[in-house]
PDB file of all heavy atoms in Angstrom:
ATOM      1  N   ALA E   1     -13.780   3.291 -19.953  1.00 96.00           N
ATOM      2  CA  ALA E   1     -12.992   2.299 -20.674  1.00 96.00           C
ATOM      3  C   ALA E   1     -13.443   2.259 -22.136  1.00 96.00           C
ATOM      4  O   ALA E   1     -14.545   2.708 -22.468  1.00 96.00           O
ATOM      5  CB  ALA E   1     -13.169   0.930 -20.028  1.00 96.00           C
ATOM      6  N   PRO E   2     -12.622   1.746 -23.026  1.00 93.00           N
ATOM      7  CA  PRO E   2     -13.033   1.637 -24.435  1.00 93.00           C
ATOM      8  C   PRO E   2     -14.356   0.898 -24.621  1.00 93.00           C
ATOM      9  O   PRO E   2     -15.066   1.136 -25.598  1.00 93.00           O
ATOM     10  CB  PRO E   2     -11.866   0.868 -25.073  1.00 93.00           C
ATOM     11  CG  PRO E   2     -10.682   1.253 -24.244  1.00 93.00           C
ATOM     12  CD  PRO E   2     -11.213   1.345 -22.838  1.00 93.00           C
ATOM     13  N   SER E   3     -14.701   0.028 -23.680  1.00 92.00           N
ATOM     14  CA  SER E   3     -15.962  -0.709 -23.750  1.00 92.00           C
ATOM     15  C   SER E   3     -17.160   0.151 -23.372  1.00 92.00           C
ATOM     16  O   SER E   3     -18.307  -0.273 -23.531  1.00 92.00           O
ATOM     17  CB  SER E   3     -15.909  -1.921 -22.821  1.00 92.00           C
ATOM     18  OG  SER E   3     -15.775  -1.502 -21.466  1.00 92.00           O
ATOM     19  N   GLY E   4     -16.898   1.371 -22.828  1.00 94.00           N
ATOM     20  CA  GLY E   4     -17.979   2.249 -22.391  1.00 94.00           C
ATOM     21  C   GLY E   4     -18.303   2.136 -20.920  1.00 94.00           C
ATOM     22  O   GLY E   4     -19.221   2.794 -20.422  1.00 94.00           O
ATOM     23  N   THR E   5     -17.538   1.328 -20.178  1.00 97.00           N
ATOM     24  CA  THR E   5     -17.768   1.163 -18.747  1.00 97.00           C
ATOM     25  C   THR E   5     -17.165   2.340 -17.986  1.00 97.00           C
ATOM     26  O   THR E   5     -15.984   2.672 -18.144  1.00 97.00           O
ATOM     27  CB  THR E   5     -17.142  -0.141 -18.234  1.00 97.00           C
ATOM     28  OG1 THR E   5     -17.727  -1.241 -18.931  1.00 97.00           O
ATOM     29  CG2 THR E   5     -17.384  -0.310 -16.742  1.00 97.00           C
ATOM     30  N   VAL E   6     -17.977   2.976 -17.143  1.00 98.00           N
ATOM     31  CA  VAL E   6     -17.564   4.154 -16.379  1.00 98.00           C
ATOM     32  C   VAL E   6     -17.279   3.758 -14.941  1.00 98.00           C
ATOM     33  O   VAL E   6     -18.078   3.067 -14.301  1.00 98.00           O
ATOM     34  CB  VAL E   6     -18.647   5.247 -16.404  1.00 98.00           C
ATOM     35  CG1 VAL E   6     -18.221   6.465 -15.582  1.00 98.00           C
ATOM     36  CG2 VAL E   6     -18.949   5.651 -17.841  1.00 98.00           C
ATOM     37  N   SER E   7     -16.132   4.218 -14.417  1.00 98.00           N
ATOM     38  CA  SER E   7     -15.794   3.981 -13.018  1.00 98.00           C
ATOM     39  C   SER E   7     -15.256   5.271 -12.419  1.00 98.00           C
ATOM     40  O   SER E   7     -14.842   6.187 -13.132  1.00 98.00           O
ATOM     41  CB  SER E   7     -14.756   2.859 -12.901  1.00 98.00           C
ATOM     42  OG  SER E   7     -13.579   3.197 -13.622  1.00 98.00           O
ATOM     43  N   THR E   8     -15.275   5.351 -11.099  1.00 98.00           N
ATOM     44  CA  THR E   8     -14.728   6.517 -10.393  1.00 98.00           C
ATOM     45  C   THR E   8     -13.301   6.206  -9.978  1.00 98.00           C
ATOM     46  O   THR E   8     -13.052   5.276  -9.221  1.00 98.00           O
ATOM     47  CB  THR E   8     -15.583   6.862  -9.163  1.00 98.00           C
ATOM     48  OG1 THR E   8     -16.926   7.163  -9.583  1.00 98.00           O
ATOM     49  CG2 THR E   8     -15.006   8.062  -8.424  1.00 98.00           C
ATOM     50  N   VAL E   9     -12.362   6.995 -10.496  1.00 98.00           N
ATOM     51  CA  VAL E   9     -10.945   6.749 -10.239  1.00 98.00           C
ATOM     52  C   VAL E   9     -10.514   7.344  -8.912  1.00 98.00           C
ATOM     53  O   VAL E   9      -9.788   6.721  -8.134  1.00 98.00           O
ATOM     54  CB  VAL E   9     -10.089   7.344 -11.377  1.00 98.00           C
ATOM     55  CG1 VAL E   9      -8.599   7.194 -11.071  1.00 98.00           C
ATOM     56  CG2 VAL E   9     -10.437   6.692 -12.689  1.00 98.00           C
ATOM     57  N   ALA E  10     -10.947   8.573  -8.644  1.00 98.00           N
ATOM     58  CA  ALA E  10     -10.509   9.261  -7.425  1.00 98.00           C
ATOM     59  C   ALA E  10     -11.543  10.298  -7.019  1.00 98.00           C
ATOM     60  O   ALA E  10     -12.255  10.854  -7.849  1.00 98.00           O
ATOM     61  CB  ALA E  10      -9.158   9.921  -7.640  1.00 98.00           C
ATOM     62  N   GLY E  11     -11.598  10.545  -5.700  1.00 98.00           N
ATOM     63  CA  GLY E  11     -12.575  11.473  -5.149  1.00 98.00           C
ATOM     64  C   GLY E  11     -13.861  10.760  -4.771  1.00 98.00           C
ATOM     65  O   GLY E  11     -14.076   9.594  -5.126  1.00 98.00           O
ATOM     66  N   ALA E  12     -14.695  11.467  -4.033  1.00 97.00           N
ATOM     67  CA  ALA E  12     -15.981  10.919  -3.589  1.00 97.00           C
ATOM     68  C   ALA E  12     -17.097  11.841  -4.059  1.00 97.00           C
ATOM     69  O   ALA E  12     -17.045  13.055  -3.837  1.00 97.00           O
ATOM     70  CB  ALA E  12     -16.012  10.778  -2.066  1.00 97.00           C
ATOM     71  N   ALA E  13     -18.098  11.280  -4.715  1.00 97.00           N
ATOM     72  CA  ALA E  13     -19.185  12.067  -5.282  1.00 97.00           C
ATOM     73  C   ALA E  13     -19.888  12.896  -4.219  1.00 97.00           C
ATOM     74  O   ALA E  13     -20.291  12.375  -3.169  1.00 97.00           O
ATOM     75  CB  ALA E  13     -20.182  11.157  -5.974  1.00 97.00           C
ATOM     76  N   GLY E  14     -20.014  14.191  -4.486  1.00 96.00           N
ATOM     77  CA  GLY E  14     -20.730  15.083  -3.582  1.00 96.00           C
ATOM     78  C   GLY E  14     -19.946  15.504  -2.363  1.00 96.00           C
ATOM     79  O   GLY E  14     -20.493  16.165  -1.474  1.00 96.00           O
ATOM     80  N   VAL E  15     -18.655  15.152  -2.307  1.00 97.00           N
ATOM     81  CA  VAL E  15     -17.839  15.484  -1.138  1.00 97.00           C
ATOM     82  C   VAL E  15     -16.620  16.301  -1.582  1.00 97.00           C
ATOM     83  O   VAL E  15     -15.564  15.735  -1.897  1.00 97.00           O
ATOM     84  CB  VAL E  15     -17.374  14.221  -0.386  1.00 97.00           C
ATOM     85  CG1 VAL E  15     -16.657  14.613   0.909  1.00 97.00           C
ATOM     86  CG2 VAL E  15     -18.544  13.301  -0.085  1.00 97.00           C
ATOM     87  N   PRO E  16     -16.737  17.622  -1.627  1.00 98.00           N
ATOM     88  CA  PRO E  16     -15.584  18.444  -2.006  1.00 98.00           C
ATOM     89  C   PRO E  16     -14.574  18.521  -0.866  1.00 98.00           C
ATOM     90  O   PRO E  16     -14.916  18.332   0.301  1.00 98.00           O
ATOM     91  CB  PRO E  16     -16.207  19.810  -2.282  1.00 98.00           C
ATOM     92  CG  PRO E  16     -17.417  19.861  -1.391  1.00 98.00           C
ATOM     93  CD  PRO E  16     -17.938  18.446  -1.349  1.00 98.00           C
ATOM     94  N   GLY E  17     -13.342  18.812  -1.218  1.00 97.00           N
ATOM     95  CA  GLY E  17     -12.319  18.968  -0.188  1.00 97.00           C
ATOM     96  C   GLY E  17     -10.937  18.963  -0.796  1.00 97.00           C
ATOM     97  O   GLY E  17     -10.776  19.063  -2.018  1.00 97.00           O
ATOM     98  N   TYR E  18      -9.959  18.852   0.057  1.00 97.00           N
ATOM     99  CA  TYR E  18      -8.568  18.770  -0.395  1.00 97.00           C
ATOM    100  C   TYR E  18      -7.855  17.731   0.458  1.00 97.00           C
ATOM    101  O   TYR E  18      -7.443  17.999   1.599  1.00 97.00           O
ATOM    102  CB  TYR E  18      -7.869  20.131  -0.296  1.00 97.00           C
ATOM    103  CG  TYR E  18      -6.375  20.046  -0.496  1.00 97.00           C
ATOM    104  CD1 TYR E  18      -5.840  19.368  -1.592  1.00 97.00           C
ATOM    105  CD2 TYR E  18      -5.502  20.619   0.425  1.00 97.00           C
ATOM    106  CE1 TYR E  18      -4.470  19.280  -1.773  1.00 97.00           C
ATOM    107  CE2 TYR E  18      -4.121  20.541   0.249  1.00 97.00           C
ATOM    108  CZ  TYR E  18      -3.611  19.868  -0.850  1.00 97.00           C
ATOM    109  OH  TYR E  18      -2.256  19.770  -1.031  1.00 97.00           O
ATOM    110  N   VAL E  19      -7.740  16.517  -0.090  1.00 97.00           N
ATOM    111  CA  VAL E  19      -7.064  15.424   0.606  1.00 97.00           C
ATOM    112  C   VAL E  19      -6.311  14.602  -0.429  1.00 97.00           C
ATOM    113  O   VAL E  19      -6.896  14.176  -1.432  1.00 97.00           O
ATOM    114  CB  VAL E  19      -8.065  14.509   1.340  1.00 97.00           C
ATOM    115  CG1 VAL E  19      -7.315  13.351   2.017  1.00 97.00           C
ATOM    116  CG2 VAL E  19      -8.892  15.279   2.345  1.00 97.00           C
ATOM    117  N   ASP E  20      -5.020  14.397  -0.215  1.00 97.00           N
ATOM    118  CA  ASP E  20      -4.277  13.430  -1.022  1.00 97.00           C
ATOM    119  C   ASP E  20      -4.556  12.039  -0.461  1.00 97.00           C
ATOM    120  O   ASP E  20      -4.820  11.874   0.743  1.00 97.00           O
ATOM    121  CB  ASP E  20      -2.779  13.724  -0.979  1.00 97.00           C
ATOM    122  CG  ASP E  20      -2.399  14.947  -1.795  1.00 97.00           C
ATOM    123  OD1 ASP E  20      -3.172  15.324  -2.711  1.00 97.00           O
ATOM    124  OD2 ASP E  20      -1.330  15.535  -1.522  1.00 97.00           O
ATOM    125  N   GLY E  21      -4.496  11.053  -1.321  1.00 97.00           N
ATOM    126  CA  GLY E  21      -4.782   9.698  -0.875  1.00 97.00           C
ATOM    127  C   GLY E  21      -4.912   8.777  -2.066  1.00 97.00           C
ATOM    128  O   GLY E  21      -4.527   9.115  -3.186  1.00 97.00           O
ATOM    129  N   VAL E  22      -5.500   7.627  -1.851  1.00 98.00           N
ATOM    130  CA  VAL E  22      -5.664   6.635  -2.913  1.00 98.00           C
ATOM    131  C   VAL E  22      -7.135   6.495  -3.264  1.00 98.00           C
ATOM    132  O   VAL E  22      -7.980   6.307  -2.377  1.00 98.00           O
ATOM    133  CB  VAL E  22      -5.097   5.265  -2.489  1.00 98.00           C
ATOM    134  CG1 VAL E  22      -5.319   4.237  -3.594  1.00 98.00           C
ATOM    135  CG2 VAL E  22      -3.606   5.374  -2.166  1.00 98.00           C
ATOM    136  N   GLY E  23      -7.430   6.604  -4.532  1.00 97.00           N
ATOM    137  CA  GLY E  23      -8.788   6.381  -5.025  1.00 97.00           C
ATOM    138  C   GLY E  23      -9.827   7.278  -4.375  1.00 97.00           C
ATOM    139  O   GLY E  23      -9.680   8.504  -4.315  1.00 97.00           O
ATOM    140  N   THR E  24     -10.865   6.676  -3.833  1.00 96.00           N
ATOM    141  CA  THR E  24     -11.987   7.436  -3.279  1.00 96.00           C
ATOM    142  C   THR E  24     -11.681   8.076  -1.930  1.00 96.00           C
ATOM    143  O   THR E  24     -12.525   8.792  -1.386  1.00 96.00           O
ATOM    144  CB  THR E  24     -13.222   6.533  -3.138  1.00 96.00           C
ATOM    145  OG1 THR E  24     -12.904   5.392  -2.335  1.00 96.00           O
ATOM    146  CG2 THR E  24     -13.703   6.065  -4.512  1.00 96.00           C
ATOM    147  N   THR E  25     -10.493   7.853  -1.381  1.00 97.00           N
ATOM    148  CA  THR E  25     -10.135   8.555  -0.142  1.00 97.00           C
ATOM    149  C   THR E  25      -9.614   9.966  -0.436  1.00 97.00           C
ATOM    150  O   THR E  25      -9.533  10.797   0.467  1.00 97.00           O
ATOM    151  CB  THR E  25      -9.058   7.778   0.653  1.00 97.00           C
ATOM    152  OG1 THR E  25      -7.839   7.754  -0.088  1.00 97.00           O
ATOM    153  CG2 THR E  25      -9.513   6.349   0.931  1.00 97.00           C
ATOM    154  N   ALA E  26      -9.240  10.217  -1.664  1.00 98.00           N
ATOM    155  CA  ALA E  26      -8.773  11.552  -2.048  1.00 98.00           C
ATOM    156  C   ALA E  26      -9.967  12.485  -2.208  1.00 98.00           C
ATOM    157  O   ALA E  26     -11.117  12.051  -2.368  1.00 98.00           O
ATOM    158  CB  ALA E  26      -7.986  11.481  -3.352  1.00 98.00           C
ATOM    159  N   ARG E  27      -9.698  13.791  -2.141  1.00 98.00           N
ATOM    160  CA  ARG E  27     -10.762  14.782  -2.302  1.00 98.00           C
ATOM    161  C   ARG E  27     -10.303  15.879  -3.261  1.00 98.00           C
ATOM    162  O   ARG E  27      -9.148  16.317  -3.257  1.00 98.00           O
ATOM    163  CB  ARG E  27     -11.133  15.416  -0.954  1.00 98.00           C
ATOM    164  CG  ARG E  27     -11.724  14.438   0.051  1.00 98.00           C
ATOM    165  CD  ARG E  27     -13.117  13.981  -0.382  1.00 98.00           C
ATOM    166  NE  ARG E  27     -13.692  13.051   0.587  1.00 98.00           N
ATOM    167  CZ  ARG E  27     -13.590  11.712   0.512  1.00 98.00           C
ATOM    168  NH1 ARG E  27     -12.906  11.163  -0.497  1.00 98.00           N
ATOM    169  NH2 ARG E  27     -14.151  10.955   1.413  1.00 98.00           N
ATOM    170  N   PHE E  28     -11.254  16.320  -4.087  1.00 98.00           N
ATOM    171  CA  PHE E  28     -11.057  17.430  -5.010  1.00 98.00           C
ATOM    172  C   PHE E  28     -12.183  18.440  -4.795  1.00 98.00           C
ATOM    173  O   PHE E  28     -13.209  18.129  -4.182  1.00 98.00           O
ATOM    174  CB  PHE E  28     -11.124  16.944  -6.470  1.00 98.00           C
ATOM    175  CG  PHE E  28     -10.129  15.872  -6.821  1.00 98.00           C
ATOM    176  CD1 PHE E  28     -10.440  14.527  -6.647  1.00 98.00           C
ATOM    177  CD2 PHE E  28      -8.891  16.207  -7.322  1.00 98.00           C
ATOM    178  CE1 PHE E  28      -9.540  13.532  -6.969  1.00 98.00           C
ATOM    179  CE2 PHE E  28      -7.968  15.216  -7.655  1.00 98.00           C
ATOM    180  CZ  PHE E  28      -8.297  13.872  -7.474  1.00 98.00           C
ATOM    181  N   HIS E  29     -11.988  19.635  -5.319  1.00 98.00           N
ATOM    182  CA  HIS E  29     -13.034  20.658  -5.260  1.00 98.00           C
ATOM    183  C   HIS E  29     -13.216  21.247  -6.660  1.00 98.00           C
ATOM    184  O   HIS E  29     -12.424  22.054  -7.102  1.00 98.00           O
ATOM    185  CB  HIS E  29     -12.671  21.748  -4.257  1.00 98.00           C
ATOM    186  CG  HIS E  29     -13.789  22.708  -4.008  1.00 98.00           C
ATOM    187  ND1 HIS E  29     -13.616  23.858  -3.273  1.00 98.00           N
ATOM    188  CD2 HIS E  29     -15.084  22.699  -4.402  1.00 98.00           C
ATOM    189  CE1 HIS E  29     -14.771  24.509  -3.214  1.00 98.00           C
ATOM    190  NE2 HIS E  29     -15.666  23.829  -3.906  1.00 98.00           N
ATOM    191  N   GLN E  30     -14.228  20.767  -7.337  1.00 97.00           N
ATOM    192  CA  GLN E  30     -14.561  21.199  -8.693  1.00 97.00           C
ATOM    193  C   GLN E  30     -13.378  21.075  -9.658  1.00 97.00           C
ATOM    194  O   GLN E  30     -12.842  22.071 -10.141  1.00 97.00           O
ATOM    195  CB  GLN E  30     -15.098  22.634  -8.704  1.00 97.00           C
ATOM    196  CG  GLN E  30     -16.482  22.758  -8.101  1.00 97.00           C
ATOM    197  CD  GLN E  30     -17.074  24.142  -8.280  1.00 97.00           C
ATOM    198  OE1 GLN E  30     -16.374  25.147  -8.185  1.00 97.00           O
ATOM    199  NE2 GLN E  30     -18.374  24.195  -8.550  1.00 97.00           N
ATOM    200  N   PRO E  31     -12.987  19.860  -9.953  1.00 98.00           N
ATOM    201  CA  PRO E  31     -11.954  19.683 -10.978  1.00 98.00           C
ATOM    202  C   PRO E  31     -12.507  20.053 -12.354  1.00 98.00           C
ATOM    203  O   PRO E  31     -13.578  19.573 -12.745  1.00 98.00           O
ATOM    204  CB  PRO E  31     -11.636  18.188 -10.895  1.00 98.00           C
ATOM    205  CG  PRO E  31     -12.893  17.563 -10.348  1.00 98.00           C
ATOM    206  CD  PRO E  31     -13.469  18.574  -9.404  1.00 98.00           C
ATOM    207  N   TYR E  32     -11.785  20.918 -13.066  1.00 97.00           N
ATOM    208  CA  TYR E  32     -12.266  21.416 -14.351  1.00 97.00           C
ATOM    209  C   TYR E  32     -11.602  20.750 -15.551  1.00 97.00           C
ATOM    210  O   TYR E  32     -12.182  20.698 -16.631  1.00 97.00           O
ATOM    211  CB  TYR E  32     -12.024  22.926 -14.459  1.00 97.00           C
ATOM    212  CG  TYR E  32     -13.108  23.795 -13.871  1.00 97.00           C
ATOM    213  CD1 TYR E  32     -13.957  23.320 -12.878  1.00 97.00           C
ATOM    214  CD2 TYR E  32     -13.270  25.111 -14.295  1.00 97.00           C
ATOM    215  CE1 TYR E  32     -14.932  24.114 -12.327  1.00 97.00           C
ATOM    216  CE2 TYR E  32     -14.254  25.926 -13.754  1.00 97.00           C
ATOM    217  CZ  TYR E  32     -15.081  25.427 -12.760  1.00 97.00           C
ATOM    218  OH  TYR E  32     -16.046  26.237 -12.215  1.00 97.00           O
ATOM    219  N   GLY E  33     -10.356  20.294 -15.407  1.00 96.00           N
ATOM    220  CA  GLY E  33      -9.650  19.770 -16.570  1.00 96.00           C
ATOM    221  C   GLY E  33      -8.738  18.625 -16.213  1.00 96.00           C
ATOM    222  O   GLY E  33      -8.342  18.453 -15.059  1.00 96.00           O
ATOM    223  N   VAL E  34      -8.394  17.836 -17.226  1.00 98.00           N
ATOM    224  CA  VAL E  34      -7.493  16.702 -17.052  1.00 98.00           C
ATOM    225  C   VAL E  34      -6.566  16.596 -18.262  1.00 98.00           C
ATOM    226  O   VAL E  34      -6.903  17.036 -19.359  1.00 98.00           O
ATOM    227  CB  VAL E  34      -8.252  15.367 -16.878  1.00 98.00           C
ATOM    228  CG1 VAL E  34      -8.867  15.256 -15.505  1.00 98.00           C
ATOM    229  CG2 VAL E  34      -9.325  15.204 -17.952  1.00 98.00           C
ATOM    230  N   ALA E  35      -5.405  16.003 -18.035  1.00 98.00           N
ATOM    231  CA  ALA E  35      -4.467  15.672 -19.107  1.00 98.00           C
ATOM    232  C   ALA E  35      -3.756  14.391 -18.706  1.00 98.00           C
ATOM    233  O   ALA E  35      -3.588  14.122 -17.513  1.00 98.00           O
ATOM    234  CB  ALA E  35      -3.463  16.797 -19.325  1.00 98.00           C
TER     235      ALA E  35
END
């Protein structure tokens, strides 16, 4: 956030995978870029 507060939007730390879902129920595998 502009205030410098960091939060996790989606995915679970240390848990790679491929799952669509909401927030931390979703899974990614080494996301490299965002837009």
Side-chain angles (χ1 to χ4, degrees):
S3 63
T5 300
V6 179
S7 59
T8 300
V9 175
V15 186
Y18 169 50
V19 178
D20 287 338
V22 178
T24 56
T25 66
R27 296 290 181 267
F28 302 89
H29 188 189
Q30 289 187 322
Y32 274 24
V34 285

